[in-house]
């Protein structure tokens, strides 16, 4: 809603009485629309009756002093979805409208949108892989009950100890299993180990290998992107050497399934990547549905890098992050 303070151009030639009425209409409009005064209060302030205030406000609209614009968030969202899909070559984009841009609200909104999208696409025979994190917990929390036949849910990557994270990876996978009435397969392994030999030894176990193979072959993968912020659970979990932390903080845009990449989607530290337990990022490129669920100011670089690396063919985000991604792409292409 806009209020035009200056005299409209068609006022020339009007009588002094008419101009005074327009001035009164402008005063009433400012009190009503900008200061949130009631019509009764305005009547007392201007020394007129309440019906006169109503007529003044109506006159303000007719004269073009007050211009009311209705902004439909859904229209903006649909345009953003189409633009992101086209510019990043994605199969599908879902942009959730978030009323505020604080982390918790964004996670809840994109989590709800992702849960609704999963309800739309999952079908009998699917194997659904899920990563972990607070955004993924919101997805799991809002999943709708839907019975799938001949289907499974599997954890995509190793986790951190429950002492290091409020929401355990196993809880997220269990919630997925409960929602779809399928058996969950868990990866009770650390996200990163000290030596590649340790990883090879673990994966040589046939039970662990079976879960890993299920994660690799899952046709639906749902995952989020982490960012190397000071409060990152993964960075604070003592998995990294000091030199690795330095590279991640200087070059790392973010991580998917605990694997760190830069803004071009390239793996930051190949040696660290070899010690990481879970599916490879390249495995995500062959999924029928590789669904990245992420939003918020700290996640823009991570989402951008993931899309440039083509690790997702579907994106679920919020409208502010969507605009930031398009702006970042335009800057990089300029």
């Amino acid at each position: 809603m806009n209020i035009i303070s200056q005299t409209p151009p068609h006022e020339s030639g009007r009588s002094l009485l008419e101009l005074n009425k327009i001035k009164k209409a402008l005063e009433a409009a400012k009190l009503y629309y900008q200061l949130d005064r009631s019509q009764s209060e305005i009547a007392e302030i201007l020394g007129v009756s309440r019906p006169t205030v109503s007529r003044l406000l109506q006159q303000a609209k007719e004269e073009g002093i007050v211009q009311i614009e209705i902004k439909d968030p859904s229209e903006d969202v649909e345009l953003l979805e189409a633009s992101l899909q086209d510019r990043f070559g994605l199969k599908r984009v879902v942009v959730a409208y978030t009323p505020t841009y604080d982390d918790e609200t964004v996670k809840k909104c994109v989590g709800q949108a992702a849960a609704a999208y999963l309800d739309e696409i999952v079908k009998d025979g699917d194997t659904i892989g899920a990563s972990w994190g607070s955004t993924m917990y919101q997805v799991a929390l809002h999943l709708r009950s839907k019975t799938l036949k001949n289907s499974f849910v599997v954890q995509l990557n190793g986790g951190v100890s429950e002492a290091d994270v409020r929401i355990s990876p196993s809880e997220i996978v269990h919630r997925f299993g409960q929602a779809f009435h399928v058996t969950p397969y868990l990866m009770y392994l650390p996200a990163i180990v000290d030596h590649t030999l340790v990883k090879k030894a673990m994966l040589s176990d046939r039970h662990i290998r079976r879960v890993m193979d299920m994660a690799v072959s899952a046709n639906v993968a749902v995952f989020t992107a982490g960012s190397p912020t000071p409060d990152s659970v993964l960075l604070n979990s003592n998995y990294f050497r000091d030199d690795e932390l330095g590279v991640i903080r200087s070059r790392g845009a973010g991580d998917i399934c605990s694997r760190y990449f830069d803004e071009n989607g390239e793996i930051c530290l190949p040696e660290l990547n070899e010690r990481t337990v879970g599916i490879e990022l390249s495995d995500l490129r062959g999924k029928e549905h590789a669904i990245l669920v992420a939003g918020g100011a700290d996640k823009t670089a991570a989402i951008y890098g993931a899309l440039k690396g083509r690790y997702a063919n579907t994106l679920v985000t919020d409208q502010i992050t969507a605009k930031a991604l398009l702006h970042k792409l335009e800057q990089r292409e300029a």
Side-chain angles (χ1 to χ4, degrees):
M1 187 273 299
N2 298 316
I3 294 180
I4 310 301
S5 296
Q6 67 268 29
T7 303
H10 59 279
E11 292 307 307
S12 57
R14 291 203 176 187
S15 68
L16 184 59
L17 179 61
E18 288 175 318
L19 291 175
N20 282 336
K21 284 183 179 180
I22 291 173
K23 184 179 178 183
K24 281 278 189 184
L26 177 60
E27 291 175 3
K30 286 183 174 182
L31 288 166
Y32 187 73
Y33 290 106
Q34 293 182 338
L35 300 180
D36 291 324
R37 297 295 184 88
S38 68
Q39 292 191 21
S40 298
E41 289 175 319
I42 296 170
E44 186 175 345
I45 293 168
L46 298 183
V48 297
S49 66
R50 190 180 178 286
T52 298
V53 172
S54 181
R55 287 194 294 271
L56 288 171
L57 293 174
Q58 182 60 35
Q59 183 182 2
K61 291 179 185 178
E62 293 171 355
E63 295 286 347
I65 294 170
V66 172
Q67 298 175 352
I68 296 175
E69 179 184 5
I70 297 174
K71 186 70 173 176
D72 183 356
S74 64
E75 293 179 358
D76 192 31
V77 160
E78 289 172 5
L79 180 61
L80 287 170
E81 289 174 343
S83 297
L84 284 169
Q85 190 169 318
D86 177 61
R87 298 298 302 279
F88 286 99
L90 295 166
K91 181 176 182 178
R92 177 75 183 271
V93 175
V94 178
V95 175
Y97 178 76
T98 179
T100 60
Y101 205 42
D102 63 279
D103 281 347
E104 291 306 311
T105 302
V106 171
K107 288 174 183 177
K108 182 178 179 180
C109 290
V110 299
Q112 288 175 323
Y117 178 67
L118 280 173
D119 181 68
E120 177 186 325
I121 65 161
V122 292
K123 61 189 184 304
D124 293 342
D126 283 343
T127 296
I128 303 162
S131 71
W132 52 269
S134 52
T135 301
M136 284 299 299
Y137 179 71
Q138 287 297 325
V139 178
L141 201 62
H142 292 96
L143 286 171
R144 301 167 187 171
S145 179
K146 182 175 184 176
T147 301
L148 298 180
K149 298 177 181 177
N150 303 316
S151 297
F152 306 95
V153 170
V154 62
Q155 189 175 324
L156 289 176
N157 61 312
V160 296
S161 69
E162 296 194 21
D164 295 328
V165 63
R166 289 182 303 164
I167 305 153
S168 69
S170 60
E171 181 181 353
I172 291 169
V173 176
H174 271 300
R175 284 183 175 271
F176 268 74
Q178 289 171 350
F180 298 128
H181 305 278
V182 300
T183 302
Y185 286 83
L186 304 172
M187 202 175 287
Y188 288 116
L189 300 170
I192 299 168
V193 295
D194 288 338
H195 302 284
T196 55
L197 287 175
V198 175
K199 175 181 169 181
K200 289 178 181 177
M202 290 190 304
L203 294 182
S204 67
D205 178 89
R206 63 189 176 91
H207 302 290
I208 293 174
R209 186 72 252 174
R210 182 189 179 199
V211 175
M212 186 66 71
D213 288 343
M214 288 180 68
V216 172
S217 62
N219 64 307
V220 179
V222 192
F223 51 92
T224 189
S227 54
T229 54
D231 60 347
S232 166
V233 170
L234 196 55
L235 289 189
N236 292 319
S237 59
N238 297 317
Y239 285 140
F240 308 96
R241 299 190 298 262
D242 289 342
D243 60 319
E244 291 171 340
L245 285 172
V247 172
I248 289 170
R249 286 173 175 146
S250 63
R251 290 180 46 215
D255 76 283
I256 289 173
C257 295
S258 308
R259 298 182 184 275
Y260 283 90
F261 51 86
D262 61 23
E263 284 199 5
N264 293 315
E266 300 291 335
I267 294 294
C268 284
L269 293 159
E271 194 276 334
L272 174 63
N273 196 58
E274 287 298 314
R275 292 169 22 228
T276 303
V277 179
I279 66 168
E280 300 281 348
L281 293 186
S282 57
D283 292 330
L284 294 171
R285 294 183 180 134
K287 303 292 185 191
E288 179 185 357
H289 299 284
I291 307 165
L292 172 57
V293 187
D298 291 335
K299 298 292 183 70
T300 303
I303 299 169
Y304 183 87
L307 296 182
K308 294 299 286 184
R310 301 205 172 276
Y311 302 131
N313 57 32
T314 301
L315 173 65
V316 183
T317 191
D318 64 275
Q319 85 277 11
I320 301 173
T321 305
K323 292 175 183 176
L325 286 168
L326 289 169
H327 179 67
K328 190 176 188 68
L329 183 62
E330 289 170 1
Q331 286 184 317
R332 295 291 291 269
E333 291 179 346

